[in-house]
Amino acid sequence: MRATPFCARTFAPALLRAVIVLLAVWPAGRGAAQSTADDATRATARQLGEQGIEAYWAEDYATADDKLDKAYRLFAVPTLGLWSARAHVRLGHLVEAAERYRDAARAAGAVGDSAAQKEAQRTATQELSALLPRIPSLTIQLEDAAPADVSITIDGVAMSSAMIGVGRPTNPGPHQLEAVRGSEHHTLDVLLVEKEQAERSFRFRKLETVQASAIQRPLPIEPIGPVATPPLLVTPNEPVRAEPPAELATRNVARPLAVAALSLGGAGLLTSVVTALTAKSKLSGPCKDKMCESESAEETYSSLRTASAVSFYLGAAFAVGGVVTWFVAPKRKQNDARVDLTVGPRGVMLHRSF
C-alpha cells in the first residue's frame, strides 16, 4: 500500500472541514472577493473545492485541477488557491502553478482573521520558493532578422517580440517553436527538463540576398497609356535608311537624266560612224579618184558627210553631258538601286538592279 493515499485518507477530512468552515464563516462584505459572492456562489465553490481535493488525493490530478481552478475563480481565497497550485504542479504546469501560488500569497487583505487562510498563505509562499528553481527557461534568438519583423509562436500561442533574447519561463516537456518572416517559415522542436536553461536560434536569409534576387527578377512595366502604332512596319532584318528629301529627289532625277544622255550620246556616235562608212562607200564608188560624174551621187555624199558630222557632235555632246551628270549627282548608298547601260549589236539596253 502506498503512503500517499494512506495520508490522504488520514488528513483529507480535516482539510475538507477547514475549507468548509472557511467558506461557511467567511464574513460577508469583507474584501473584494466577498463583496461579489452570494450564498449560491459560495456553496458552489465549496462543493467544487471538496471534489477537487478528493480527486487530488485520489491522484486524479486532471480532475482535481479542473475542479479546484473553477472553485478558485468563483471564490478566490488562499486555501483554494493553494490546492489549485498543487494540482498544477502535479500536471507539470509549473508556470501556472507559480502564478497561482503568488495569487494565494498576495490575498492578505481578503482573509480577515481566519487562521486557516493565513496558514495557507504562508504555505503558498514556502512552496513557491521551492518551485521557482525547477521551472525551465527558454531563450529564443534570431540571426539576420529584426525581432519586429518576425512572428514567433510556442505551441501555437503567439509570443511577444519583446521576449526575443530574454529567458522565458516555460513548462518542462516537448514544445514546438515556429518563426515566420514574410515567405520564410521555420519550425523547431525542443524538449525541456526541469531546471534547464535552454537557448534556441532561428537563422533567416540576409536581406541583401533577398533584395539582390528581387533585382535580378524585375517586374514587367505596364504602359501608362495607349501606344500608337507606327505608320511604317519594318521587318527585324531590314535596314532603315533615312535620307534628306532634297538629296533623294536630286539623285532620283539626275541619274535617269545621265543615263538618257549617255544613251543618246551613244546613239549619236553610232549614227555618225555608220553615216561616215556609208559616205566613204559612196566616195569609193562613182567618185573614186575622179570628179563625181553624177550630180546626185555628189549630193548624197555631201549629205552623208554632213549627217555624220552632226551625229558625231551631238553624240559627243550628249555623252559628255551624261558622264558629267552621272558623276555630279549624289552618290548612291550600298543598298540603292543601280542602272547599267549596255551597248551591243542589238541596241542599247538599260539594266536596273536593287
Side-chain angles (χ1 to χ4, degrees), residues 250-251 254-255 258 320-331:
T250 303
R251 187 180 65 190
R255 290 300 175 85
V320 172
V323 171
V324 172
T325 304
W326 181 269
F327 285 103
V328 170
K331 303 296 181 181

Side-chain angles (χ1 to χ4, degrees), residues 215 217-225 227:
I215 294 175
R217 297 187 299 272
L219 296 177
I221 301 176
E222 298 293 337
I224 298 177
V227 179

